[in-house]
Amino acid sequence: MDDSTIKLVTDLAALKIVAHPLRARLLGALRMHGPATASELGRRFDESSGSTSYHLRELAKHDFVELDPEQHNARDKRWRATARYTSWRNSDFGDVEGREATRALRGNQTAFLIDKLERHDAAVDELEDVWRDTLAMSDYAAELSPESVRELQRRTLALVEELREKDRGRPDTRFVRLYLAALIDPDDQDAP
């Protein structure tokens, strides 16, 4: 994995662009499923192609997406994500407007995660046994330094990329969402 898989956002305007819920979903779909047209994305998200086209152009202004060089025809523009992941440092957005934008992004991420967890829970009993026995949630807690948390994040991402490459083309793969949240719980800070 190289750094081109991660788009580091340092500009407030770009952060606001990707904080928009539909834009985040469009970007996520392009990352997960590959290039698509505005019409295809509109059908996927029950939006007009005019709406998805506008939001794709807004994402393109800040290099989140670009036109796919492998266009199938001259009429339908296919878009692709420019990086596999988006990242930002909260400390780069310390003013009021920046804090509001990062809070909105975290809120979108939380709402998306809750939706995915609820949908997974509703469907898990219909999965094949091998998947039902494999999929799980874990809760780990440890006293770590900021450097160790960053190392954990870096190594987790590297492992995901390594395993993605190893499994490429296998017939038994499915899209699996993995979430890593490094959180400080204020209730744990007073523990003996």
Side-chain angles (χ1 to χ4, degrees), residues 114-162:
I114 290 168
D115 177 64
K116 291 298 179 186
L117 287 170
E118 289 173 346
R119 293 178 67 193
H120 168 79
D121 190 54
V124 72
D125 291 335
E126 305 306 316
L127 294 172
E128 303 91 359
D129 285 346
V130 66
W131 280 108
R132 285 192 4 228
D133 293 343
T134 301
L135 300 174
M137 287 194 305
S138 300
D139 180 6
Y140 304 101
E143 288 188 77
L144 299 173
S145 68
E147 295 80 16
S148 292
V149 173
R150 284 192 295 273
E151 181 178 348
L152 175 63
Q153 292 165 336
R154 182 188 54 74
R155 288 172 66 180
T156 300
L157 180 57
L159 180 59
V160 168
E161 291 298 316
E162 176 188 325

Side-chain angles (χ1 to χ4, degrees), residues 3-109:
D3 288 341
S4 66
T5 63
I6 301 172
K7 172 158 177 65
L8 178 62
V9 178
T10 58
D11 170 37
L12 181 59
L15 191 72
K16 287 180 174 182
I17 288 293
V18 79
H20 186 281
L22 177 58
R23 291 179 192 145
R25 290 186 0 228
L26 295 173
L27 181 56
L30 293 174
R31 288 175 173 164
M32 190 76 134
H33 303 291
T37 66
S39 295
E40 291 167 339
L41 291 166
R43 286 189 295 276
R44 173 184 278 279
F45 296 112
D46 198 27
E47 294 281 336
S48 72
S49 61
S51 172
T52 54
S53 181
Y54 167 76
H55 289 296
L56 287 166
R57 288 191 310 272
E58 290 298 301
L59 286 165
K61 287 178 185 176
H62 294 276
D63 299 319
F64 289 102
V65 301
E66 64 188 6
L67 289 174
D68 186 2
E70 297 179 25
Q71 296 291 326
H72 292 145
N73 62 55
R75 193 178 70 113
D76 297 321
K77 293 180 184 174
R78 293 183 66 76
W79 296 87
R80 70 177 187 181
T82 58
R84 192 167 291 138
Y85 307 101
T86 300
S87 181
W88 70 91
R89 289 184 296 266
N90 289 315
S91 61
D92 287 341
F93 303 99
D95 64 358
V96 172
E97 197 173 8
R99 286 193 305 271
E100 287 174 3
T102 58
R103 191 174 307 113
L105 263 169
R106 289 191 308 269
N108 291 346
Q109 289 174 313

